[in-house]
Amino acid sequence: MKNTAKLVVLGSINADHILNLNHFPAPGETVTGKDYQVAFGGKGANQAVAAGRSGADITFIACVGDDDTGSQVCQQLASDQIDISAISTIPESKTGVALIFVNRAGENVIGIHAGANAALTPALVNAQKDNISEASALLMQLESPLESVLAAAKIAHQHQTKVILNPAPACELPEELLSLLYMITPNETEAEKLTGVRVENDEDAAQASRILHAKGIEVVIITLGSRGVWLSDKGIGQRVPGFHVKAVDTIAAGDTFNGALVTALLEDKPMAEAIRFAHAGAAIAVTRKGAQPSVPWRHEIDDFLQLQGK
Ligand code: RIB
């Protein structure tokens, strides 16, 4: 039976090694950093944490290695209100790793070793068929094997579970996967990769959205950094601005946006209100360092919105 408020997130888990620098090293250059931190991350885990902390009833499908990091991260995820029973520990493998540089402007560049994330096979996805089919929504990203993302989308679609894809990191996607999506949330780079349209203004965002709608996707939300997002709901477009805060570190801002957005939609908030809620979550996240350490709890988002006069 369908649980109307249930969310399943499928995605990656990483240990993020984060180094803060004045500027990114050029090829051949060595730059001494100021601050080094190891924190839990991974786009899937960050979005799961954002959903859990903002109040969703969520199960997370993922893989960790049989190392200390894997068991520590699972404990942390459980304390973030996430059902971790669908996380598999992969023998003789290491939990995923992300090497991240953050510059003075709070921007980041990331290199990834997939580790155990690469072992999230279609067979493991099929073992979670009941969880996926009983949920109202399935939220995924692209740090897991594409064939597994497709397998999960097929199960969800067959059982009227809405499929939401945050297509990060950017890559070209098969038409079959796109046709199974209810909603997609690319940033400008990802939107260009998927549509060929360079997104520099609202008209470009509307054009890219039309291309994505033509592939069968009902809702397109293109994130535009400090300009907010372009929302195109069945072809009706509008820009929804975000909140202006002083960013210290944008790691996991997009992940927080996605996790909080889906949480709010599962609470039946209207789309514009859900986006505002998600903007608030992301605005708080960029004022803090790291991925999961920066993700706010529900009461922090509510307080932030109240301060903004909503
Ligand atoms: O979106 C941010 C995340 O991307 C980081 O936590 C890192 O692990 C990479 O997956």
Side-chain angles (χ1 to χ4, degrees):
M1 218 189 56
K2 188 73 73 187
N3 176 342
T4 51
K6 177 93 194 160
L7 170 64
V8 169
V9 175
L10 180 149
S12 59
I13 294 177
N14 293 331
D16 290 351
H17 293 252
I18 307 166
L19 183 62
N20 288 79
L21 309 147
N22 259 328
H23 64 275
F24 298 133
E29 185 187 13
T30 301
V31 177
T32 302
K34 288 183 295 189
D35 232 357
Y36 169 69
Q37 185 195 1
V38 182
F40 296 137
K43 292 185 196 305
N46 298 343
Q47 294 183 20
V49 167
R53 289 188 192 166
S54 61
D57 174 5
I58 172 213
T59 298
F60 183 30
I61 302 174
C63 292
V64 288
D66 60 351
D67 48 11
D68 286 348
T69 308
S71 49
Q72 285 162 13
V73 85
C74 287
Q75 272 176 33
Q76 175 61 47
L77 292 170
S79 73
D80 285 322
Q81 318 292 336
I82 295 165
D83 173 0
I84 58 164
S85 60
I87 300 180
S88 305
T89 300
I90 307 299
E92 291 169 36
S93 105
K94 293 206 183 321
T95 300
V97 170
L99 304 178
I100 306 181
F101 288 151
V102 179
N103 72 7
R104 205 172 28 202
E107 299 162 326
N108 61 68
V109 291
I110 305 181
I112 282 177
H113 174 64
N117 294 310
L120 182 55
T121 55
L124 276 184
V125 170
N126 284 324
Q128 297 303 326
K129 188 173 173 199
D130 289 351
N131 269 325
I132 296 172
S133 56
E134 284 163 15
S136 268
L138 169 69
L139 171 63
M140 300 187 285
Q141 321 72 34
L142 297 173
E143 281 181 353
S144 305
L146 196 51
E147 53 179 359
S148 305
V149 170
L150 181 60
K154 281 184 184 165
I155 295 170
H157 195 257
Q158 271 162 18
H159 294 88
Q160 292 80 48
T161 300
K162 286 183 170 164
V163 185
I164 298 147
L165 182 69
N166 172 228
C171 80
E172 279 164 25
L173 292 174
E175 297 288 321
E176 187 185 14
L177 175 60
L178 294 170
S179 73
L180 299 171
L181 304 181
Y182 159 70
M183 179 161 92
I184 193 162
T185 60
N187 65 17
E188 293 123 312
T189 313
E190 293 146 9
E192 181 176 354
K193 191 87 178 174
L194 293 172
T195 65
V197 177
R198 182 181 284 256
V199 178
E200 291 178 332
N201 53 43
D202 291 353
E203 287 70 39
D204 300 337
Q207 195 197 337
S209 300
R210 279 193 291 275
I211 294 172
L212 292 166
H213 285 312
K215 296 179 189 293
I217 307 170
E218 208 169 302
V219 182
V220 178
I221 295 180
I222 302 180
T223 55
L224 306 168
S226 61
R227 297 180 61 246
V229 301
W230 180 260
L231 162 66
S232 184
D233 195 345
K234 298 191 199 85
I236 313 231
Q238 61 172 305
R239 192 156 56 79
V240 186
F243 298 101
H244 289 286
V245 291
K246 184 163 170 27
V248 298
D249 171 341
T250 57
I251 300 171
D255 297 331
T256 303
F257 178 89
N258 278 278
L261 174 69
V262 177
T263 302
L265 291 174
L266 288 177
E267 290 175 8
D268 284 335
K269 288 196 197 308
M271 185 60 83
E273 200 183 318
I275 290 177
R276 205 175 143 78
F277 181 84
H279 273 327
I284 297 169
V286 300
T287 63
R288 301 173 177 170
K289 286 189 171 181
Q292 286 161 41
S294 74
V295 176
W297 288 84
R298 175 62 171 250
H299 67 91
E300 296 176 298
I301 301 179
D302 289 341
D303 290 352
F304 181 96
L305 284 170
Q306 207 165 8
L307 272 175
Q308 303 294 322
K310 164 95 176 59

PDB file of all heavy atoms in Angstrom, residues 12 14 16 41-43 46 98 100 110 112 143 251-252 255 291, ligand 1:
ATOM      1  N   SER A  12      24.654   8.403  -3.257  1.00  0.00           N
ATOM      2  CA  SER A  12      26.033   8.149  -2.815  1.00  0.00           C
ATOM      3  C   SER A  12      26.277   8.565  -1.369  1.00  0.00           C
ATOM      4  O   SER A  12      25.579   9.410  -0.820  1.00  0.00           O
ATOM      5  CB  SER A  12      26.976   8.964  -3.701  1.00  0.00           C
ATOM      6  OG  SER A  12      26.641  10.343  -3.570  1.00  0.00           O
ATOM      7  N   ASN A  14      29.850   9.696   0.746  1.00  0.00           N
ATOM      8  CA  ASN A  14      31.293   9.952   0.677  1.00  0.00           C
ATOM      9  C   ASN A  14      31.817  10.492   2.001  1.00  0.00           C
ATOM     10  O   ASN A  14      31.066  11.105   2.763  1.00  0.00           O
ATOM     11  CB  ASN A  14      31.615  11.040  -0.373  1.00  0.00           C
ATOM     12  CG  ASN A  14      31.319  10.580  -1.786  1.00  0.00           C
ATOM     13  OD1 ASN A  14      31.394   9.400  -2.097  1.00  0.00           O
ATOM     14  ND2 ASN A  14      30.983  11.528  -2.645  1.00  0.00           N
ATOM     15  N   ASP A  16      34.113  13.437   2.847  1.00  0.00           N
ATOM     16  CA  ASP A  16      34.656  14.617   2.154  1.00  0.00           C
ATOM     17  C   ASP A  16      35.936  15.086   2.848  1.00  0.00           C
ATOM     18  O   ASP A  16      35.926  15.340   4.061  1.00  0.00           O
ATOM     19  CB  ASP A  16      33.636  15.764   2.187  1.00  0.00           C
ATOM     20  CG  ASP A  16      32.417  15.499   1.312  1.00  0.00           C
ATOM     21  OD1 ASP A  16      32.435  14.514   0.551  1.00  0.00           O
ATOM     22  OD2 ASP A  16      31.467  16.294   1.392  1.00  0.00           O
ATOM     23  N   GLY A  41      29.735  13.420   3.529  1.00  0.00           N
ATOM     24  CA  GLY A  41      29.112  14.059   2.374  1.00  0.00           C
ATOM     25  C   GLY A  41      28.604  13.004   1.407  1.00  0.00           C
ATOM     26  O   GLY A  41      28.199  11.905   1.809  1.00  0.00           O
ATOM     27  N   GLY A  42      28.655  13.346   0.122  1.00  0.00           N
ATOM     28  CA  GLY A  42      28.049  12.502  -0.921  1.00  0.00           C
ATOM     29  C   GLY A  42      26.691  13.106  -1.241  1.00  0.00           C
ATOM     30  O   GLY A  42      25.919  13.407  -0.332  1.00  0.00           O
ATOM     31  N   LYS A  43      26.428  13.278  -2.525  1.00  0.00           N
ATOM     32  CA  LYS A  43      25.180  13.976  -2.888  1.00  0.00           C
ATOM     33  C   LYS A  43      23.948  13.247  -2.356  1.00  0.00           C
ATOM     34  O   LYS A  43      23.002  13.880  -1.878  1.00  0.00           O
ATOM     35  CB  LYS A  43      25.087  14.155  -4.403  1.00  0.00           C
ATOM     36  CG  LYS A  43      26.145  15.127  -4.917  1.00  0.00           C
ATOM     37  CD  LYS A  43      25.997  15.411  -6.377  1.00  0.00           C
ATOM     38  CE  LYS A  43      27.260  16.043  -6.941  1.00  0.00           C
ATOM     39  NZ  LYS A  43      27.716  17.237  -6.256  1.00  0.00           N
ATOM     40  N   ASN A  46      23.820  13.688   1.487  1.00  0.00           N
ATOM     41  CA  ASN A  46      23.492  15.074   1.854  1.00  0.00           C
ATOM     42  C   ASN A  46      21.999  15.341   1.644  1.00  0.00           C
ATOM     43  O   ASN A  46      21.353  16.005   2.475  1.00  0.00           O
ATOM     44  CB  ASN A  46      24.287  16.067   1.003  1.00  0.00           C
ATOM     45  CG  ASN A  46      25.792  15.943   1.199  1.00  0.00           C
ATOM     46  OD1 ASN A  46      26.244  15.343   2.178  1.00  0.00           O
ATOM     47  ND2 ASN A  46      26.566  16.484   0.270  1.00  0.00           N
ATOM     48  N   ALA A  98      35.478  12.035  -1.407  1.00  0.00           N
ATOM     49  CA  ALA A  98      35.502  13.239  -2.255  1.00  0.00           C
ATOM     50  C   ALA A  98      36.627  14.145  -1.772  1.00  0.00           C
ATOM     51  O   ALA A  98      36.768  14.380  -0.564  1.00  0.00           O
ATOM     52  CB  ALA A  98      34.160  13.974  -2.176  1.00  0.00           C
ATOM     53  N   ILE A 100      37.945  17.860  -1.941  1.00  0.00           N
ATOM     54  CA  ILE A 100      37.277  19.131  -2.243  1.00  0.00           C
ATOM     55  C   ILE A 100      38.178  20.314  -1.899  1.00  0.00           C
ATOM     56  O   ILE A 100      38.695  20.406  -0.780  1.00  0.00           O
ATOM     57  CB  ILE A 100      35.953  19.260  -1.440  1.00  0.00           C
ATOM     58  CG1 ILE A 100      35.066  18.031  -1.679  1.00  0.00           C
ATOM     59  CG2 ILE A 100      35.221  20.546  -1.786  1.00  0.00           C
ATOM     60  CD1 ILE A 100      33.728  18.057  -0.961  1.00  0.00           C
ATOM     61  N   ILE A 110      35.537  19.585  -7.007  1.00  0.00           N
ATOM     62  CA  ILE A 110      35.452  18.286  -6.327  1.00  0.00           C
ATOM     63  C   ILE A 110      35.953  17.165  -7.244  1.00  0.00           C
ATOM     64  O   ILE A 110      35.591  17.101  -8.421  1.00  0.00           O
ATOM     65  CB  ILE A 110      33.985  17.975  -5.934  1.00  0.00           C
ATOM     66  CG1 ILE A 110      33.392  19.115  -5.092  1.00  0.00           C
ATOM     67  CG2 ILE A 110      33.890  16.649  -5.177  1.00  0.00           C
ATOM     68  CD1 ILE A 110      31.946  18.883  -4.640  1.00  0.00           C
ATOM     69  N   ILE A 112      36.200  12.810  -7.163  1.00  0.00           N
ATOM     70  CA  ILE A 112      35.552  11.732  -6.409  1.00  0.00           C
ATOM     71  C   ILE A 112      36.175  10.375  -6.684  1.00  0.00           C
ATOM     72  O   ILE A 112      36.529  10.064  -7.834  1.00  0.00           O
ATOM     73  CB  ILE A 112      34.050  11.710  -6.777  1.00  0.00           C
ATOM     74  CG1 ILE A 112      33.342  12.825  -6.019  1.00  0.00           C
ATOM     75  CG2 ILE A 112      33.398  10.379  -6.437  1.00  0.00           C
ATOM     76  CD1 ILE A 112      31.913  12.953  -6.330  1.00  0.00           C
ATOM     77  N   GLU A 143      25.571  10.137  -8.782  1.00  0.00           N
ATOM     78  CA  GLU A 143      26.833   9.598  -8.273  1.00  0.00           C
ATOM     79  C   GLU A 143      26.723   8.087  -8.055  1.00  0.00           C
ATOM     80  O   GLU A 143      27.588   7.493  -7.432  1.00  0.00           O
ATOM     81  CB  GLU A 143      27.248  10.303  -6.975  1.00  0.00           C
ATOM     82  CG  GLU A 143      27.869  11.655  -7.232  1.00  0.00           C
ATOM     83  CD  GLU A 143      28.329  12.380  -5.980  1.00  0.00           C
ATOM     84  OE1 GLU A 143      28.061  11.916  -4.863  1.00  0.00           O
ATOM     85  OE2 GLU A 143      28.950  13.436  -6.141  1.00  0.00           O
ATOM     86  N   ILE A 251      29.320  24.090  -0.462  1.00  0.00           N
ATOM     87  CA  ILE A 251      29.205  22.624  -0.541  1.00  0.00           C
ATOM     88  C   ILE A 251      27.846  22.206   0.020  1.00  0.00           C
ATOM     89  O   ILE A 251      27.463  22.629   1.108  1.00  0.00           O
ATOM     90  CB  ILE A 251      30.312  21.919   0.276  1.00  0.00           C
ATOM     91  CG1 ILE A 251      31.700  22.299  -0.222  1.00  0.00           C
ATOM     92  CG2 ILE A 251      30.155  20.400   0.203  1.00  0.00           C
ATOM     93  CD1 ILE A 251      32.816  21.798   0.692  1.00  0.00           C
ATOM     94  N   ALA A 252      27.147  21.385  -0.732  1.00  0.00           N
ATOM     95  CA  ALA A 252      25.855  20.802  -0.309  1.00  0.00           C
ATOM     96  C   ALA A 252      24.706  21.803  -0.287  1.00  0.00           C
ATOM     97  O   ALA A 252      23.616  21.471   0.191  1.00  0.00           O
ATOM     98  CB  ALA A 252      25.963  20.110   1.047  1.00  0.00           C
ATOM     99  N   ASP A 255      22.274  20.252  -2.581  1.00  0.00           N
ATOM    100  CA  ASP A 255      21.726  19.039  -1.958  1.00  0.00           C
ATOM    101  C   ASP A 255      20.685  19.407  -0.897  1.00  0.00           C
ATOM    102  O   ASP A 255      19.634  18.764  -0.795  1.00  0.00           O
ATOM    103  CB  ASP A 255      22.850  18.222  -1.308  1.00  0.00           C
ATOM    104  CG  ASP A 255      23.853  17.725  -2.329  1.00  0.00           C
ATOM    105  OD1 ASP A 255      23.464  17.514  -3.491  1.00  0.00           O
ATOM    106  OD2 ASP A 255      25.036  17.557  -1.966  1.00  0.00           O
ATOM    107  N   ALA A 291      29.727  19.685   4.173  1.00  0.00           N
ATOM    108  CA  ALA A 291      28.472  19.205   3.562  1.00  0.00           C
ATOM    109  C   ALA A 291      27.454  18.963   4.681  1.00  0.00           C
ATOM    110  O   ALA A 291      26.701  19.866   5.056  1.00  0.00           O
ATOM    111  CB  ALA A 291      28.740  17.963   2.734  1.00  0.00           C
TER     112      ALA A 291
HETATM  113  O1  RIB B   1      27.193  18.101  -3.544  1.00  0.00           O
HETATM  114  C1  RIB B   1      28.268  18.078  -2.644  1.00  0.00           C
HETATM  115  C2  RIB B   1      28.842  16.708  -2.546  1.00  0.00           C
HETATM  116  O2  RIB B   1      29.401  16.355  -3.780  1.00  0.00           O
HETATM  117  C3  RIB B   1      29.956  16.560  -1.546  1.00  0.00           C
HETATM  118  O3  RIB B   1      29.495  16.237  -0.251  1.00  0.00           O
HETATM  119  C4  RIB B   1      30.839  15.492  -2.165  1.00  0.00           C
HETATM  120  O4  RIB B   1      30.862  14.292  -1.460  1.00  0.00           O
HETATM  121  C5  RIB B   1      30.307  15.301  -3.576  1.00  0.00           C
HETATM  122  O5  RIB B   1      29.601  14.145  -3.683  1.00  0.00           O
END
